[in-house]
C-alpha cells in the first residue's frame, strides 16, 4: 500500500505540442489531464459528470474545466460577440487567450497539486473551428504550441443528423455559431447546421492521428458510452501506477 | 530579392495591395507617436487617403486587456495573446482591407512591439513571430532611438506615476518601480536594436528636435512610398 502510494506521487515534466511555455519549463506535475471533445449535444457534460462521480468514488481529486470559462477573458468574449462582429482570426486569438488563462492559472496549478482534470473540450475544437474557417492549419498548430499534451483525449463522434435531433429536443432552436452561420454555407439554417457539423467532424478525423485523439461512438446510449470511457480511463490511470 | 521579399510580393499581388503600410516603433517616450501624427497631418493636407491605427486600441478587446492589467493577473502568454487579439481585430477590420483599397496605413507600433515585449517577458520568440506570421510586412518602419533616460524623463514629466506592466513589474526585476522600468525598457531597446538590420528599420535619432525628426521622416516617406506609388499607378487592380 505504502509502496503504491509512493509510486503514484511520481512527478512528470509537462509535454507541450510546440514551443511550450518557456517560463514553465521546470515545473513538475503529479496530476492527469483528460479531455472530452465533441460538438454541442454530443453528451459531453453528461459524460463528464458521470466520470467525475466515478473518479471521486475511487478517491481521486477531480477538477472540471472547459472553454470560455476563464475569469479574465470569458466575459470579454461574450461581450465582444454581442457588440462587435469579430472576424475569424480575432475570434481565434481571443479564444486562445481565454484558454491560456485557464491553462496557466487553473489547469497547471491543479496538476501540480495532483488533481485529475476533466476538460470539457480543449484546443482541438478551437483548431477545428479555425480550419473550417480556412485559417491556415500550421498557423493554428503553432498558436497552440503553448498547450500541454493531455494524457487522454476522447472525441464523442455523433452523426450530424442525430445531433440535430438532440439539439431540437433540448432547445427547440439552432444556435448561430454552432450552425456555422457566419460561414454562409447555406441560406437554410438547418442545412447550414448539418454542413457545418460535418465539416467539424472531418477536422476531428484529420487531427485524430497527429494529436492522438480517441474516437468514441457517441450515437449510443449514455450508459454504454460511459462504460467505454470509464474502462479506458481506469486503464490509463492504473497503467501509470 | 530575398525569399521573404518574394513571398511578400506574391502575397501583395494576390490580394491586390495598392496601399502602403508605414510603421513607427520605439519605447514609450521615444517621440514616435508625435512624429506619426505629424506625418498623418501632412498627408491629409496633401489629400492623400490615410488611416492611423494604434497599438492596443481595438474597441472589442481593450476592456478585457485593461481589466487584466488593472488586476495584475496577466501572464506573459495571456498578455501576448490579448495584444495579438487586439492586433488581429484592427488588422482584419481596418489595416488589411484599407491596404487593399489603396490607403496609406500608418501604424503606431506594429508586430515588432510584440516581438520585443513578448520576448523580454519570456515567451518563445519563434512562437510570437509565427502568431503574427499572417501580417504583411510594412513598406517602411521608422525606429525612434533614444537613451532610456531621455524617454523616462519625457514619460515622467507628463505623468508622475508609472503603470505596472509598462514598468515590467510582472517580471520581478526590482521592487522599485522606477528601477524596474529602466531595466525593462533597456531590455526592450536591446530587442529593437537586434531587429534594426534584419527588419530594415530606418533609424531616427529621437533626441533631435521634433521639426528636425519630422523633416527626416517626410523625406524618407517621399523617397520610399511616393516613388513606388507612382510606379504602380493604375497598374494594380483589386482582385479577389
Amino acid at each position: 500500500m505504502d509502496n503504491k502510494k509512493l509510486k503514484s506521487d511520481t512527478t512528470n515534466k509537462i509535454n507541450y505540442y510546440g514551443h511550450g511555455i518557456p517560463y514553465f519549463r521546470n515545473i513538475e506535475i503529479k496530476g492527469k489531464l483528460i479531455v472530452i471533445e465533441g460538438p454541442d449535444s454530443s453528451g459531453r457534460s453528461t459524460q463528464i459528470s458521470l466520470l467525475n462521480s466515478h473518479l471521486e468514488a475511487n478517491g481521486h481529486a477531480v477538477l472540471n474545466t472547459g472553454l470560455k470559462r476563464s475569469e479574465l477573458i470569458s466575459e470579454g468574449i461574450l461581450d465582444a460577440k454581442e457588440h462587435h462582429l469579430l472576424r475569424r482570426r480575432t475570434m481565434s486569438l481571443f479564444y486562445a487567450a481565454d484558454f491560456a488563462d485557464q491553462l496557466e492559472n487553473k489547469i497547471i496549478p491543479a496538476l501540480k497539486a495532483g488533481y485529475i482534470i476533466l476538460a470539457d473540450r480543449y484546443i482541438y475544437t478551437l483548431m477545428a473551428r479555425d480550419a473550417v474557417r480556412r485559417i491556415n492549419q500550421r498557423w493554428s498548430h503553432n498558436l497552440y504550441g503553448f498547450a500541454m499534451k493531455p494524457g487522454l483525449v476522447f472525441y464523442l463522434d455523433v452523426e450530424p443528423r442525430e445531433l440535430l435531433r438532440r439539439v431540437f429536443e433540448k432547445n427547440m432552436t439552432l444556435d448561430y455559431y454552432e450552425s456555422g452561420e457566419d460561414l454562409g454555407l447555406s441560406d437554410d439554417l438547418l442545412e447550414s447546421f448539418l454542413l457545418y457539423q460535418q465539416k467539424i467532424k472531418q477536422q476531428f478525423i484529420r487531427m485524430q492521428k497527429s494529436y492522438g485523439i480517441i474516437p468514441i461512438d457517441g450515437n449510443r446510449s449514455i450508459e454504454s458510452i460511459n462504460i467505454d470511457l470509464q474502462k479506458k480511463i481506469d486503464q490509463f490511470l492504473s497503467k501509470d501506477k | 530579392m530575398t525569399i521573404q521579399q518574394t513571398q511578400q510580393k506574391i502575397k501583395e499581388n494576390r490580394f491586390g495591395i495598392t496601399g502602403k503600410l508605414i510603421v513607427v516603433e520605439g519605447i514609450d517616450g521615444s517621440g514616435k507617436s508625435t512624429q506619426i501624427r505629424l506625418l498623418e497631418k501632412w498627408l491629409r493636407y496633401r489629400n492623400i487617403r490615410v488611416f492611423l491605427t494604434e497599438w492596443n486600441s481595438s474597441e472589442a478587446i481593450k476592456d478585457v486587456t485593461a481589466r487584466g492589467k488593472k488586476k495584475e493577473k496577466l501572464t506573459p502568454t495571456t498578455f501576448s495573446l490579448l495584444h495579438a487579439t487586439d492586433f488581429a481585430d484592427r488588422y482584419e477590420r481596418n489595416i488589411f482591407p484599407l491596404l487593399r483599397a489603396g490607403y496609406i496605413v500608418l501604424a503606431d507600433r506594429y508586430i515588432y512591439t510584440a516581438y520585443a515585449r513578448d520576448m523580454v517577458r519570456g515567451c518563445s520568440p519563434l512562437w510570437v513571430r509565427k502568431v503574427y506570421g499572417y501580417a504583411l510586412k510594412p513598406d517602411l518602419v521608422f525606429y525612434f532611438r533614444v537613451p532610456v533616460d531621455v524617454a523616462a524623463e519625457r514619460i515622467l514629466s507628463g505623468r508622475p506615476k508609472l503603470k505596472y506592466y509598462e514598468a515590467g513589474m510582472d517580471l520581478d526585476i526590482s521592487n522599485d518601480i522606477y528601477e524596474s522600468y529602466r531595466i525593462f525598457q533597456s531590455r526592450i531597446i536591446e530587442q529593437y536594436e537586434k531587429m534594426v538590420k534584419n527588419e530594415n528599420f530606418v533609424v531616427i535619432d529621437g533626441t533631435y528636435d521634433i521639426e528636425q525628426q519630422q523633416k527626416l521622416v517626410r523625406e524618407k516617406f517621399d523617397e520610399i512610398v511616393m516613388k513606388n506609388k507612382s510606379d504602380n499607378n493604375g497598374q494594380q487592380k483589386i482582385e479577389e
Side-chain angles (χ1 to χ4, degrees):
Chain A
M1 186 68 195
D2 273 359
N3 217 346
K4 205 174 173 188
K5 192 171 176 292
L6 268 177
K7 270 190 185 169
S8 70
D9 274 349
T10 338
T11 53
N12 292 300
K13 288 262 168 67
I14 299 176
N15 280 319
Y16 293 104
Y17 276 117
H19 298 288
I21 303 176
Y23 49 92
F24 277 173
R25 199 171 290 136
N26 295 317
I27 280 180
E28 308 224 306
I29 54 166
K30 287 186 276 186
K32 300 281 172 221
L33 174 60
I34 297 167
V35 175
I36 315 283
E37 281 281 3
D40 277 3
S41 297
S42 62
R44 285 187 334 261
S45 47
T46 310
Q47 292 300 332
I48 284 174
S49 78
L50 289 171
L51 290 172
N52 207 334
S53 316
H54 171 74
L55 290 169
E56 280 179 348
N58 286 351
H60 296 287
V62 187
L63 187 75
N64 294 327
T65 63
L67 302 178
K68 222 170 38 181
R69 289 195 206 164
S70 78
E71 251 180 70
L72 216 54
I73 297 150
S74 58
E75 259 181 61
I77 294 181
L78 291 174
D79 190 61
K81 269 185 168 175
E82 205 174 306
H83 298 106
H84 308 270
L85 184 66
L86 297 183
R87 271 69 167 179
R88 54 183 189 156
R89 204 180 299 272
T90 311
M91 196 68 115
S92 165
L93 285 160
F94 220 161
Y95 273 98
D98 169 77
F99 170 74
D101 188 37
Q102 291 197 77
L103 180 68
E104 291 183 83
N105 292 322
K106 191 173 171 188
I107 298 177
I108 291 176
L111 288 173
K112 273 161 74 180
Y115 276 78
I116 291 181
I117 298 189
L118 291 176
D120 185 343
R121 300 200 284 199
Y122 201 65
I123 60 171
Y124 318 101
T125 285
L126 302 174
M127 290 195 292
R129 285 183 193 162
D130 283 0
V132 166
R133 286 170 179 79
R134 303 189 57 194
I135 286 181
N136 184 295
Q137 286 162 16
R138 263 182 312 171
W139 183 83
S140 294
H141 179 79
N142 170 72
L143 174 62
Y144 289 105
F146 68 86
M148 74 168 274
K149 289 184 187 172
L152 278 177
V153 186
F154 297 106
Y155 170 61
L156 297 179
D157 188 0
V158 181
E159 283 307 316
R161 278 267 161 207
E162 171 63 15
L163 280 178
L164 190 65
R165 192 186 64 75
R166 294 187 194 172
V167 169
F168 277 134
E169 205 165 90
K170 202 168 130 200
N171 299 327
M172 303 295 159
T173 183
L174 293 170
D175 178 76
Y176 182 87
Y177 281 103
E178 282 291 312
S179 310
E181 263 249 274
D182 59 314
L183 288 169
L185 297 170
S186 166
D187 292 340
D188 178 4
L189 188 58
L190 197 146
E191 194 178 291
S192 175
F193 176 89
L194 292 173
L195 288 169
Y196 181 68
Q197 294 300 337
Q198 192 58 42
K199 279 174 179 288
I200 293 280
K201 189 176 146 93
Q202 280 163 1
Q203 289 304 322
F204 271 97
I205 294 168
R206 170 184 69 83
M207 289 188 289
Q208 228 172 73
K209 255 202 183 138
S210 41
Y211 294 95
I213 300 170
I214 305 163
I216 299 287
D217 179 358
N219 300 298
R220 297 171 296 161
S221 71
I222 291 173
E223 294 73 26
S224 50
I225 295 171
N226 195 246
I227 290 168
D228 207 358
L229 288 173
Q230 262 186 32
K231 210 175 90 192
K232 290 190 163 73
I233 291 173
D234 288 344
Q235 266 172 7
F236 166 73
L237 293 175
S238 63
K239 183 184 70 187
D240 231 60
K241 279 180 183 162
Chain B
M1 242 192 237
T2 66
I3 293 171
Q4 259 187 334
Q5 282 169 324
T6 314
Q7 281 173 342
Q8 172 92 354
K9 272 273 160 277
I10 291 167
K11 213 165 163 186
E12 283 175 14
N13 291 337
R14 191 169 137 220
F15 293 110
I17 303 288
T18 52
K20 295 286 171 192
L21 176 59
I22 318 298
V23 168
V24 292
E25 287 281 1
I27 59 169
D28 295 332
S30 63
K32 62 186 179 331
S33 305
T34 308
Q35 291 300 325
I36 204 163
R37 270 161 198 75
L38 284 170
L39 182 64
E40 184 198 7
K41 292 224 169 80
W42 181 58
L43 294 174
R44 288 198 191 285
Y45 180 74
R46 289 162 87 188
N47 282 322
I48 292 170
R49 288 186 301 171
V50 55
F51 177 79
L52 175 67
T53 179
E54 289 171 82
W55 194 251
N56 200 22
S57 68
S58 139
E59 283 300 321
I61 322 298
K62 69 180 185 190
D63 285 352
V64 180
T65 318
R67 196 163 45 216
K69 283 182 179 173
K70 203 173 152 212
K71 287 189 174 166
E72 299 173 4
K73 278 250 176 89
L74 299 177
T75 67
T77 306
T78 51
F79 187 97
S80 170
L81 285 170
L82 283 176
H83 286 85
T85 310
D86 172 273
F87 178 84
D89 189 40
R90 292 180 295 112
Y91 191 84
E92 293 187 293
R93 203 180 288 279
N94 305 124
I95 299 174
F96 189 60
L98 287 169
L99 285 172
R100 294 177 79 180
Y103 271 70
I104 300 283
V105 175
L106 304 176
D108 188 345
R109 298 185 174 280
Y110 199 64
I111 55 178
Y112 312 103
T113 288
Y115 293 178
R117 284 185 183 170
D118 294 346
M119 164 93 198
V120 170
R121 286 213 150 81
C123 293
S124 155
L126 215 57
W127 175 73
V128 178
R129 279 176 155 74
K130 288 187 200 160
V131 166
Y132 287 93
Y134 64 91
L136 282 168
K137 287 273 163 23
D139 297 278
L140 186 54
V141 184
F142 291 108
Y143 169 58
F144 293 81
R145 180 184 277 157
V146 284
V148 71
D149 291 325
V150 175
E153 212 190 290
R154 286 177 184 166
I155 290 288
L156 292 170
S157 69
R159 176 162 54 86
K161 225 171 156 250
L162 288 168
K163 288 185 240 160
Y164 185 82
Y165 285 96
E166 75 179 354
M169 289 300 279
D170 55 319
L171 295 177
D172 286 326
I173 304 168
S174 164
N175 284 330
D176 177 40
I177 193 162
Y178 297 97
E179 176 74 10
S180 173
Y181 177 83
R182 283 179 44 90
I183 296 170
F184 179 60
Q185 297 294 335
S186 305
R187 289 187 190 169
I188 294 202
I189 291 175
E190 259 174 57
Q191 294 305 321
Y192 273 132
E193 290 295 339
K194 279 189 193 159
M195 288 187 268
V196 166
K197 220 178 137 213
N198 290 340
E199 305 286 354
N200 260 323
F201 289 176
V202 172
V203 181
I204 303 282
D205 187 333
T207 62
Y208 283 7
D209 289 344
I210 289 176
E211 292 82 1
Q212 259 176 305
Q213 289 183 53
Q214 185 61 202
K215 191 166 169 275
L216 292 170
V217 167
R218 290 180 183 182
E219 275 169 16
K220 201 71 195 174
F221 177 89
D222 273 344
E223 180 194 324
I224 305 274
V225 178
M226 296 321 279
K227 186 183 140 278
N228 286 339
K229 188 118 180 120
S230 57
D231 287 352
N232 290 341
N233 229 353
Q235 283 172 20
Q236 285 185 6
K237 285 198 183 78
I238 292 175
E239 47 192 312
E240 194 31 291

